[in-house]
Amino acid sequence: MIYLQQVKQSNMSVILERIWQHNQISRVELVEHTSLTSGTITNLTHELIELNILRETEAVSGTVGRKRVLLGFDPHTFRVIGLDISRSSIELVVMDLNGTIMQSAERDMTGIQGPDAYLKVIRELVADAKKSIDAAGCRVLGLGVGVPGPIDHAKGTIVSPPNFPGWSGFPLQMKLEEEFGLVTLIEDDARTSALAERRYGLGKNVKHLVFVTMGAGIGGGVVTDGKIVRGTNGLCGQVGHMTIVLDGKLCDCGNRGCWETVGSIPGILSRWPHGSTLAELRSAALSGDQEAIKCIHDTLVYLEAAMINIQNLYDPELIVLGGSLYPMLADYMDHVKQRLRSRIYAFAKDRLNIEAATFKASQSAVGAAALLFDYLLSEPVRLLSLSERKVEKQ
Ligand SMILES: [Zn+2]
């Protein structure tokens, strides 16, 4: 890309980020909030309106009754598709550029294994979504996908995911791109979950956050300075693999005593041999079963240790907890937070901020869609031209 185009793209990016932050903003305010001249803002916003990325709306200012023209994202032209591929389900959402979920679908994949069987279902879901997007006269900007990690981003493959047979080394990004002719981005599902909070949930005004998802496994996504952090080997935020029990069980990752081995749903149930579901564990605890009470107590102690480690290592403004285990833990969180406050640096204890995830079962799919939104905000010219080329090829 030639230099002038690069400058234009980065100036557009500054404008789009500001508009995302404010939802609606006038050109005058854009001049105040950026280092761009009013001429540059006039030209670039004009171009972004022509491209159907932005639109103007009129608002009447209350005090003097004067009309103001505000800029916001155009919700009518482009759609992004977010897909979450998990060990037990496939979830799809279609979103507009304001982050509104326009459509969603879910398929239970319990007992179904391997990329071929999954691709068959994904094909149906994406085809349905594209059909209704076309019928509404909209265009798909791209497809974002959340999958169990780790991921080799350079190759677009999943790397030896535990308990996910047949997927190791599968060229997911390339396959989906070929299949649907859409710009496709893939990411670890804990990171897409974190991005969902950052862009559309509790993280809008939070630059440093950690998302922890607890279910069949435990994963984490780290946002620092507003950006997803991957680390050297794509392992940043693998909070489920912090050592919690020094002489504990061997984990799939090669370490011993990882939080996941005792704190995930299978990890919890492995410490209570009298039942096979969390519901059974809870009802046993409620009826006074001492072993069940101890199992839940230990689960909370492990959670507390993990949270202290996360808080002290990442120093986030916000920790968001999600995943299928969270509803059970929610009842105990006041107690856990109280304990945590007594264990962190005294001057920071009142800033401890732990919240529940916003999007429940759609968390990762919403964040997968946000991958494309992120791309649009950082490299609008590049994404639009890539997306255009894909349309021409079809
Ligand atoms: Zn591990």
Side-chain angles (χ1 to χ4, degrees):
M1 196 184 281
I2 58 166
Y3 176 71
L4 277 178
Q5 256 179 323
Q6 265 172 355
V7 171
K8 179 169 129 181
Q9 174 155 273
S10 83
N11 288 343
M12 277 182 169
S13 173
V14 168
I15 291 172
L16 293 174
E17 282 283 353
R18 287 290 166 189
I19 292 175
W20 165 73
Q21 254 170 8
H22 294 260
N23 294 323
Q24 303 264 313
I25 192 170
S26 69
R27 287 182 176 81
V28 175
E29 286 166 314
L30 272 176
V31 176
E32 283 165 16
H33 288 293
T34 63
S35 56
L36 303 173
T37 64
S38 64
T40 304
I41 283 173
T42 303
N43 290 338
L44 294 182
T45 53
H46 175 75
E47 199 168 327
L48 287 163
I49 290 168
E50 294 276 295
L51 289 165
N52 297 307
I53 299 297
L54 297 183
R55 67 161 180 173
E56 287 180 335
T57 49
E58 270 191 3
V60 180
S61 151
T63 45
V64 282
R66 208 176 48 193
K67 279 185 183 168
R68 292 166 72 213
V69 176
L70 299 178
L71 292 161
F73 284 97
D74 180 344
H76 302 302
T77 307
F78 289 104
R79 295 287 179 266
V80 285
I81 302 177
L83 191 65
D84 179 59
I85 298 175
S86 84
R87 293 172 180 90
S88 58
S89 68
I90 298 174
E91 177 100 22
L92 176 143
V93 296
V94 175
M95 297 180 85
D96 70 10
L97 295 186
N98 281 327
T100 307
I101 300 173
M102 309 302 291
Q103 195 184 331
S104 66
E106 195 193 348
R107 292 284 185 282
D108 183 11
M109 299 299 281
T110 313
I112 301 169
Q113 284 185 348
D116 288 346
Y118 268 69
L119 276 178
K120 199 167 160 248
V121 177
I122 292 169
R123 212 169 280 140
E124 284 168 25
L125 289 176
V126 174
D128 277 356
K130 279 174 88 176
K131 209 188 283 174
S132 44
I133 292 167
D134 286 346
C138 298
R139 263 187 56 196
V140 185
L141 203 49
L143 171 68
V145 188
V147 278
I151 287 169
D152 183 334
H153 283 97
K155 292 185 185 151
T157 59
I158 309 177
V159 189
S160 54
N163 309 317
F164 208 33
W167 287 88
S168 189
F170 183 76
L172 181 66
Q173 184 172 19
M174 193 189 75
K175 283 274 182 208
L176 294 176
E177 212 154 43
E178 276 175 9
E179 182 94 31
F180 304 118
L182 295 171
V183 177
T184 303
L185 301 174
I186 68 170
E187 186 54 276
D188 179 300
D189 51 11
R191 287 197 194 116
T192 51
S193 298
L195 193 59
E197 269 335 309
R198 163 66 181 155
R199 284 297 181 192
Y200 305 126
L202 301 167
K204 190 150 181 169
N205 298 309
V206 171
K207 284 194 163 176
H208 309 289
L209 79 90
V210 178
F211 189 95
V212 180
T213 173
M214 296 169 286
I218 297 179
V222 177
V223 171
T224 297
D225 270 329
K227 299 279 175 210
I228 289 283
V229 184
R230 289 175 177 160
T232 310
N233 300 296
L235 294 173
C236 181
Q238 288 274 358
V239 296
H241 300 281
M242 71 172 80
T243 308
I244 287 281
V245 187
L246 286 183
D247 53 355
K249 264 191 289 182
L250 192 63
C251 177
D252 284 328
C253 73
N255 184 24
R256 272 189 188 280
C258 293
W259 182 24
E260 185 169 292
T261 65
V262 288
S264 63
I265 294 172
I268 293 168
L269 293 171
S270 75
R271 293 184 285 106
W272 186 65
H274 307 296
S276 55
T277 65
L278 288 177
E280 286 170 354
L281 172 67
R282 280 207 80 175
S283 77
L286 286 172
S287 63
D289 178 321
Q290 287 305 308
E291 282 181 79
I293 291 170
K294 181 173 183 333
C295 178
I296 291 177
H297 172 264
D298 290 349
T299 301
L300 297 177
V301 171
Y302 295 136
L303 174 69
E304 195 183 305
M307 289 293 131
I308 275 290
N309 289 341
I310 291 168
Q311 184 67 34
N312 284 335
L313 290 176
Y314 295 109
D315 192 17
E317 290 170 71
L318 172 67
I319 298 175
V320 186
L321 303 180
S324 52
L325 177 59
Y326 185 74
M328 184 189 114
L329 297 175
D331 291 348
Y332 306 100
M333 282 315 293
D334 283 345
H335 167 74
V336 171
K337 284 183 205 171
Q338 204 182 338
R339 295 269 311 146
L340 289 174
R341 281 197 189 93
S342 71
R343 288 179 68 172
I344 58 176
Y345 279 95
F347 75 91
K349 71 178 168 45
D350 293 331
R351 290 179 222 151
L352 181 76
N353 192 5
I354 300 176
E355 298 287 347
T358 307
F359 300 100
K360 310 280 181 299
S362 303
Q363 186 81 25
S364 169
V366 167
L371 290 172
L372 265 298
F373 186 67
D374 245 26
Y375 194 175
L376 177 72
L377 262 55
S378 61
E379 297 180 76
V381 177
R382 189 177 165 81
L383 175 58
L384 287 168
S385 90
L386 278 176
S387 159
E388 197 68 44
R389 253 183 276 162
K390 296 266 180 206
V391 173
E392 280 164 15
K393 261 183 155 177
Q394 281 178 352

